Amino acid sequence: MPAESRADARRNYALLLDEARSAFAEYGTEASLRDVARRAGVGIGTLYRHFPNRDALLAALLSSNFDELREQAEALLAADGAREALLTWLTRLAIGSTAYRGLPESVMAALHDEGSQLHTSCVAMHEAGGRLLSRAQEAGEVRDDVTAGELLALAAGVAWAGERSGGSPDLIGRLLSYTMEGLTAG
C-alpha cells in the first residue's frame, strides 16, 4: 500500500473515531453508523473497512478506558480497606459507563457474547473487578454470596439509573454507596 494511502487510512480512522465519539455522546450507542461516516466525510464502506460492526467501533473508543479500569483495579488491590477499594473502582466504572447513553447495556451484552468485539475487554474488566471483590470477601467486608457478575450488573444498573437522571457523578456515587451497604458482610 502506498504511503499516501496509509496516511489516508490513518486519517479516516481518526476521523471516524472522533465523529463516533461525538455521535455516541449526542445520540447514544445506537447512533446511526451511516451518520458517523457522513460526519467524517467518508462512505459507509470506509467505516466498515475499519470497524466491521458497532461493537468494533465501541471497542476502539473504549479500549483505553477499559485498560485504565483494569489498571486501577490492580492498583487498588494493595490499598487499605478492601470494601472502600471496591467501591472506588465500582464508582469509576459506573460513572464511565454513562459516557454514552446505552453503554451499560452494550457492556453487559458483550460480557455474554463471545463474538462481540467488546467481549475480551469486558471479560478482562470483569476479572479485575472480581479480584477486588474476592479481596473484600476474604477480608470479611463484603458478603460471600455475591459474584463478580452480579456486582457488575449492579454497577450497570446504577449507571443506567444515573444516566436516566442526568448522569450526575454525585448521584451515582450515592447509589453505589447504598448498594455497598447492602453488600456488607455482617
Side-chain angles (χ1 to χ4, degrees):
M1 178 182 282
E4 186 176 316
S5 295
R6 286 192 302 268
D8 284 347
R10 284 192 300 274
R11 180 185 61 79
N12 288 342
Y13 183 89
L15 283 170
L16 286 164
L17 284 178
D18 286 345
E19 293 304 332
R21 192 174 290 111
S22 296
F24 289 173
E26 191 173 346
Y27 300 109
T29 59
E30 293 302 315
S32 163
L33 296 185
R34 191 170 298 284
D35 187 49
V36 169
R38 182 189 55 72
R39 291 167 98 167
V42 300
I44 191 70
T46 299
L47 181 141
Y48 283 122
R49 271 192 298 285
H50 289 287
F51 308 104
N53 55 45
R54 184 177 305 277
D55 279 357
L57 183 54
L58 274 170
L61 286 172
L62 300 173
S63 65
S64 65
N65 296 359
F66 286 166
D67 290 344
E68 288 172 14
L69 279 166
R70 285 191 305 275
E71 290 168 10
Q72 183 185 32
E74 295 302 321
L76 286 168
L77 284 170
D80 290 336
R83 181 180 171 277
E84 280 305 309
L86 179 60
L87 178 58
T88 296
W89 186 80
L90 285 173
T91 302
R92 179 148 183 233
L93 170 65
I95 290 170
S97 294
T98 63
Y100 308 124
R101 189 175 62 254
L103 187 55
E105 295 94 330
S106 296
V107 169
M108 292 306 294
L111 269 172
H112 304 291
D113 179 2
E114 291 181 14
S116 167
Q117 297 286 326
L118 284 171
H119 181 75
T120 302
S121 295
C122 290
V123 167
M125 189 176 50
H126 176 273
E127 290 170 354
R131 288 189 290 279
L132 284 171
L133 173 62
S134 292
R135 178 175 171 247
Q137 289 170 325
E138 290 165 7
E141 296 178 17
V142 173
R143 297 167 44 155
D144 288 339
D145 60 342
V146 179
T147 68
E150 292 167 339
L151 196 62
L152 288 182
L154 285 170
V158 167
W160 180 87
E163 170 186 290
R164 295 304 187 267
S165 302
S168 160
D170 291 337
L171 173 63
I172 290 169
R174 284 194 314 279
L175 292 174
L176 279 170
S177 182
Y178 304 149
T179 301
M180 285 303 290
E181 289 299 320
L183 297 175
T184 300

